[in-house]
Amino acid sequence: DYTEAEIRAAVEAAATKNRDVAVHAHGTEGIKRATRAGVRSIEHSSMLDDEATALLKEKGVFIVPNPQSNAYMIERGPAGGYQDYQLRKSREVLQLKMESLRRAVKAGVLVAYGTDAGVQPHGINGGQLRMYVEAGMTPLAALQSATLTAARLLRQEAHLGRLAKGFAGDVIAVRGNPLEDIRVMESPVFVMKDGLPVKAGPASR
């Protein structure tokens, strides 16, 4: 809904405070305007065409598709309190998102992992890694989308996104090798946050 000039004004104003701008955009024209205006990331980016994809790659703009939020709504259906029109839109958007994600992955666009928090509950987040792999990412690239790439998007790569001295001690353990089967990320058996265990069942000991 915003003009390119309006978006650019927001980007310039944010820059004076050393801040980045993330935009919520599904439509192709909105994605192009935001990219040309210099935003840092685009949430959803559901309707990419060749021009939009090339612009994203050229400008180094990150996309954060969040397809799992739509998949969750469809799975829950009326039992989740969703109306028919919401489910119809979610089905349409999910198809568009996955097509756009495949296009972005193939073109080498920067794709970060996000949760679209508030739509689906935390704890099922690992399922989106599988969707990224289904869209053409390697399992390693999918894992990096939630670690290295996400840290880079947030300009926090100096202390997030890696297992190294001086970095935040955020670690999970799973049964199996996610590089062989990304689905193991959907069932963590151990979780450490800031160096302290927050989930440690008998299976993890």
Side-chain angles (χ1 to χ4, degrees):
D1 293 334
Y2 291 100
T3 66
E4 186 175 328
E6 289 172 325
I7 302 171
R8 184 172 289 106
V11 170
E12 292 172 354
T16 67
K17 304 294 184 181
N18 295 315
R19 294 291 185 267
D20 294 313
V21 172
V23 302
H24 176 286
H26 288 284
T28 309
E29 182 58 31
I31 294 168
K32 293 176 184 177
R33 290 178 187 175
T35 302
R36 289 192 296 260
V39 303
R40 180 71 170 172
S41 68
I42 298 177
E43 314 303 302
H44 302 302
S45 57
S46 303
M47 303 176 191
L48 297 181
D49 62 9
D50 289 341
E51 182 184 3
T53 303
L55 274 171
L56 289 165
K57 179 73 180 295
E58 176 190 346
K59 301 292 186 181
V61 173
F62 295 76
I63 66 169
V64 190
N66 303 323
Q68 189 178 34
S69 57
N70 300 99
Y72 175 79
M73 291 176 64
I74 295 166
E75 179 183 342
R76 292 288 291 144
Y82 297 109
Q83 302 298 310
D84 287 344
Y85 77 92
Q86 292 175 302
L87 295 173
R88 184 169 58 253
K89 178 181 177 181
S90 279
R91 283 190 288 269
E92 293 172 355
V93 171
L94 178 58
Q95 180 178 347
L96 291 167
K97 275 187 181 180
M98 292 302 291
E99 290 173 356
S100 292
L101 179 54
R102 291 185 188 96
R103 185 189 295 266
V105 170
K106 185 176 181 179
V109 171
L110 294 166
V111 180
Y113 184 102
T115 65
D116 206 14
V119 177
Q120 72 274 349
H122 290 294
I124 65 170
N125 314 58
Q128 187 163 268
L129 294 170
R130 172 171 39 83
M131 300 179 79
Y132 276 23
V133 170
E134 290 170 355
M137 280 190 179
T138 64
L140 178 59
L143 292 171
Q144 289 174 332
S145 76
T147 52
L148 294 171
T149 306
R152 183 180 168 194
L153 163 58
L154 298 173
R155 301 188 190 276
Q156 298 294 313
E157 60 265 45
H159 59 91
L160 293 177
R162 294 173 53 200
L163 293 177
K165 183 178 180 179
F167 281 66
D170 297 344
V171 184
I172 71 167
V174 296
R175 294 187 184 93
N177 184 350
L179 299 184
E180 297 175 355
D181 183 1
I182 196 66
R183 292 174 297 179
V184 301
M185 298 299 295
E186 299 176 35
S187 303
V189 296
F190 173 84
V191 179
M192 176 180 286
K193 174 64 180 169
D194 292 329
L196 298 174
V198 294
K199 174 184 177 181
S204 66
R205 296 196 180 102

